[in-house]
Amino acid sequence: MPDIPIVETFDLCRRDAERGQVLLQPTSFSLFAGDRVAVTGPSGSGKSVFLRALALLDPLDAGRIEWHGKAVSRIRMPQYRRHIAYIRQRPAILDGTVEDNLRYPYTLRAYRDVRFDRERARSFAEQAGRGGDFLDRYASELSGGEAQITALIRVLQLEPEVLLFDEPTASLDPESSHAIEALVNAWLDPADARRASVWVSHDLAQAARVSDRHLTMRAGVLTEITQPAAPPGTQGDVREGTR
Ligand SMILES: Nc1ncnc2c1ncn2[C@@H]1O[C@H](COP(=O)(O)OP(=O)(O)OP(=O)(O)O)[C@@H](O)[C@H]1O
Ligand SMILES: [Mg+2]
């Protein structure tokens, strides 16, 4: 295991701006290349707050984040955003075709050094069981699962280092969920292991499939469990690994 994590948090803390209530207790967490992490826990416990803080989507109230051992300065923020991707439950899909959606990031300044690769996009779609004319389909006609597959390909083609999943399959059918897991597993490429993922899920069976490290969130406290997510009804070996 490499010494320097891809992303490391030091006493990361989030508060409710109005009432000052602590949403995320000071959290120190390291994400290493090759890590596949699952976070489970009750609704309202702070899983999304943690993930959004990790993605630097919300301002931090205390603590700090390092990326490859260095602080994420304002100047490095666009690069951080590019490499640490947050994928939410309901993706924002634009009008037009799937291909229009996949081409969209390349119109942004942050991605002007890379070009859309149609063949590669097609191969991602095939990995998710969507061959043929998928890229020509209209976004308005996509199922929820297909919209999420589109959103995921849109992110994967940009080659992020870390994927932060906030219940990406929560409202999807099992077939679509498995297609998304397959796509992510292929992308993580265990033979290479330069990348990492954090997957928030309510589904313990899914958490077990998509992770080698399991953390739980309870009332804003993140705790590491040594074993991968245990199936329902069994007890994991719990230790305070993150505080
Ligand atoms: N921007 C915010 N301002 C104030 N309170 C917030 C904010 N975002 C989240 N909260 C509160 O923080 C707590 C944790 O919310 P969070 O969305 O992280 O829960 P969660 O574990 O992701 O739940 P779920 O499983 O339902 O998605 C909740 O009480 C929520 O109301
Ligand atoms: Mg949430």
Side-chain angles (χ1 to χ4, degrees):
M1 190 177 272
D3 292 330
I4 300 179
I6 301 181
V7 177
E8 186 165 16
T9 76
F10 300 85
D11 287 337
L12 198 65
C13 186
R14 286 278 291 126
R15 279 195 199 90
D16 174 338
E18 276 171 26
R19 289 170 297 162
Q21 186 194 346
V22 177
L23 305 176
L24 179 68
Q25 298 287 347
T27 299
S28 296
F29 165 74
S30 300
L31 184 69
F32 291 94
D35 274 356
R36 300 188 317 146
V37 176
V39 181
T40 59
S43 189
S45 59
K47 303 184 298 297
S48 295
V49 164
F50 170 62
L51 220 53
R52 290 182 59 82
L54 210 52
L56 285 172
L57 291 174
D58 297 327
L60 307 179
D61 295 299
R64 62 181 214 279
I65 292 184
E66 288 186 357
W67 179 34
H68 295 290
K70 290 190 195 132
V72 186
S73 62
R74 190 182 286 251
I75 242 161
R76 291 179 86 211
M77 190 67 90
Q79 284 299 315
Y80 189 82
R81 289 269 161 71
R82 177 170 170 168
H83 287 288
I84 314 296
Y86 176 81
I87 292 127
R88 56 201 177 119
Q89 190 176 330
R90 289 183 207 286
I93 295 294
L94 311 168
D95 285 345
T97 63
V98 168
E99 181 167 336
D100 292 335
N101 271 273
L102 300 183
R103 284 181 176 275
Y104 172 71
Y106 299 94
T107 66
L108 304 175
R109 242 177 101 169
Y111 301 105
R112 62 187 165 187
D113 59 320
V114 281
R115 295 270 169 279
F116 176 66
D117 180 343
R118 194 170 201 276
E119 272 318 299
R120 195 147 155 269
R122 276 173 57 90
S123 113
F124 278 131
E126 267 166 29
Q127 284 169 31
R130 296 296 186 285
D133 63 350
F134 186 65
L135 265 54
D136 301 322
R137 300 270 309 275
Y138 280 96
S140 55
E141 295 167 1
L142 298 178
S143 69
E146 289 165 339
Q148 191 59 286
I149 287 167
T150 302
L152 185 54
I153 296 172
R154 193 168 57 191
V155 167
L156 294 185
Q157 65 181 353
L158 301 169
E159 303 196 346
E161 289 184 291
V162 174
L163 291 180
L164 304 175
F165 289 110
D166 201 347
E167 304 192 52
T169 64
S171 58
L172 304 185
D173 61 284
E175 190 271 332
S176 299
S177 301
H178 282 101
I180 283 167
E181 288 173 25
L183 197 49
V184 173
N185 277 335
W187 174 83
L188 282 171
D189 188 3
D192 183 347
R194 277 176 302 137
R195 299 162 171 169
S197 63
V198 180
W199 195 309
V200 168
S201 180
H202 275 119
D203 176 349
L204 286 182
Q206 178 180 60
R209 286 195 300 274
V210 300
S211 73
D212 312 305
R213 284 175 70 190
H214 184 199
L215 294 94
T216 57
M217 183 71 82
R218 261 172 215 285
V221 177
L222 190 68
T223 305
E224 181 137 14
I225 297 175
T226 49
Q227 299 301 315
T234 60
Q235 195 105 43
D237 172 18
V238 181
R239 74 179 153 95
E240 290 283 318
T242 56
R243 303 242 10 243

